[in-house]
Amino acid sequence: MLRVIAAFLIAPALAITFMCVLFGVSAPADTLVVSLMIAYLTYPFVMVIGLPLFWLLYTKQWLGLKTSMLAAGVCAAIAFAFMLSPLDNQERLRQIYGHGLFIFASAMVGGCLFWLIGVRNNPALKNPGQNGYAA
């Protein structure tokens, strides 16, 4: 389970940094600052939504790459929903949709990284009822 904890801590930050570089934040120092600001907002969603979602997928033994990416997409959709307001004007909505692309792309990269770091070939995640981790 140590790999899963490491995946929860590492994958979001790596995904955000990768997407900041990909989306073209100008200087490397700016990339780090922007990544840290976004991670500050991302980790609460990952912990509040991602942990229970992972537990559900773990108990059902649905731990494939596609499932990890889908779970990350669910976290991103909930985070994106918190950004929307019925009082937004058209210009603000265009900006938010641009941010939404960044959020979903980061979530897909993060879900893939999470699977690679914490799930792929992890013997601790086999048979949840027999290894003492499941209730």
Side-chain angles (χ1 to χ4, degrees):
M1 283 303 220
L2 188 59
R3 281 180 52 190
V4 174
I5 294 169
F8 268 110
L9 296 175
I10 295 170
L14 278 178
I16 292 166
T17 304
F18 174 75
M19 293 308 294
C20 283
V21 170
L22 190 65
F23 271 67
V25 176
S26 58
D30 293 341
T31 301
L32 181 61
V33 170
V34 170
S35 297
L36 289 174
M37 288 179 359
I38 296 170
Y40 176 73
L41 300 171
T42 301
Y43 277 102
F45 284 102
V46 169
M47 296 304 155
V48 170
I49 300 163
L51 280 172
L53 197 54
F54 172 75
W55 187 255
L56 173 70
L57 297 175
Y58 168 65
T59 57
K60 299 289 185 184
Q61 284 294 291
W62 296 337
L63 295 173
L65 175 61
K66 291 178 187 176
T67 311
S68 292
M69 293 176 71
L70 181 64
V74 168
C75 290
I78 293 170
F80 185 71
F82 275 95
M83 293 175 63
L84 297 175
S85 166
L87 302 176
D88 287 334
N89 61 20
Q90 290 298 327
E91 180 59 33
R92 169 110 167 96
L93 287 175
R94 276 193 286 278
Q95 291 172 352
I96 289 175
Y97 290 141
H99 296 301
L101 174 63
F102 182 87
I103 290 169
F104 281 104
S106 297
M108 293 300 106
V109 171
C112 185
L113 288 171
F114 177 84
W115 183 80
L116 287 171
I117 295 168
V119 177
R120 182 173 176 246
N121 297 329
N122 189 347
L125 297 179
K126 304 294 184 228
N127 301 324
Q130 296 177 0
N131 59 13
Y133 293 122

